[in-house]
Amino acid sequence: MKSKKELKEAYRQMTFRMGVYQIRNIVSNKIWIHYSADLDRAWNSPRMQLLANTHPNEELQSDWNTLGEKCFAYEIVEELDDTTDPTVDYKKEVQALYKMCLDELQPYGEKGYHQQK
């Protein structure tokens, strides 16, 4: 069995798919987008918030409460290509990608759950 130190080091060296995802209302096609450093696990947090009725986006939460989970889909919008270069600040990269997706998808008003700033 590996030591705690070895397990921590192995985890630190793991790479994850990073990028932007959306939660899409399949009835209205409205979207809520966000970014994550781990796209494979990104759905867990907002899903749990929605199930617990604590998601910060009130409109999305209201639609979830009315329609139910079956009417929403988790979808990956964009993914960073390479996440293995130690010199790159991937947190900044994924945030920049998120801003680009906001500009491109315009998830405001009838198209989405975001508030235009």
Side-chain angles (χ1 to χ4, degrees), residues 20 31 33 77 95-108 111 114 116-117:
V20 177
I31 60 172
I33 67 172
V77 177
Q95 288 172 344
L97 183 61
Y98 170 68
K99 289 177 184 173
M100 287 174 30
C101 288
L102 281 174
D103 290 342
E104 181 181 328
L105 297 173
Q106 295 290 305
Y108 312 107
K111 292 173 70 179
H114 292 266
Q116 198 152 18
K117 295 178 183 179

Side-chain angles (χ1 to χ4, degrees), residues 22-27 29-32 71-75 113:
Q22 68 184 13
I23 298 173
R24 184 173 55 86
N25 178 328
I26 61 176
V27 175
N29 255 359
K30 288 180 84 168
I31 60 172
W32 179 80
C71 291
F72 290 85
Y74 169 78
E75 302 164 337
Y113 293 102

Side-chain angles (χ1 to χ4, degrees), residues 43-78:
W43 174 228
N44 293 338
S45 180
R47 181 176 173 269
M48 294 313 294
Q49 288 175 322
L50 289 162
L51 288 169
N53 200 29
T54 60
H55 195 277
N57 187 293
E58 293 175 9
E59 187 180 1
L60 173 59
Q61 184 69 65
S62 176
D63 283 356
W64 178 279
N65 292 346
T66 302
L67 300 170
E69 182 177 355
K70 67 186 177 313
C71 291
F72 290 85
Y74 169 78
E75 302 164 337
I76 295 173
V77 177
E78 291 284 338

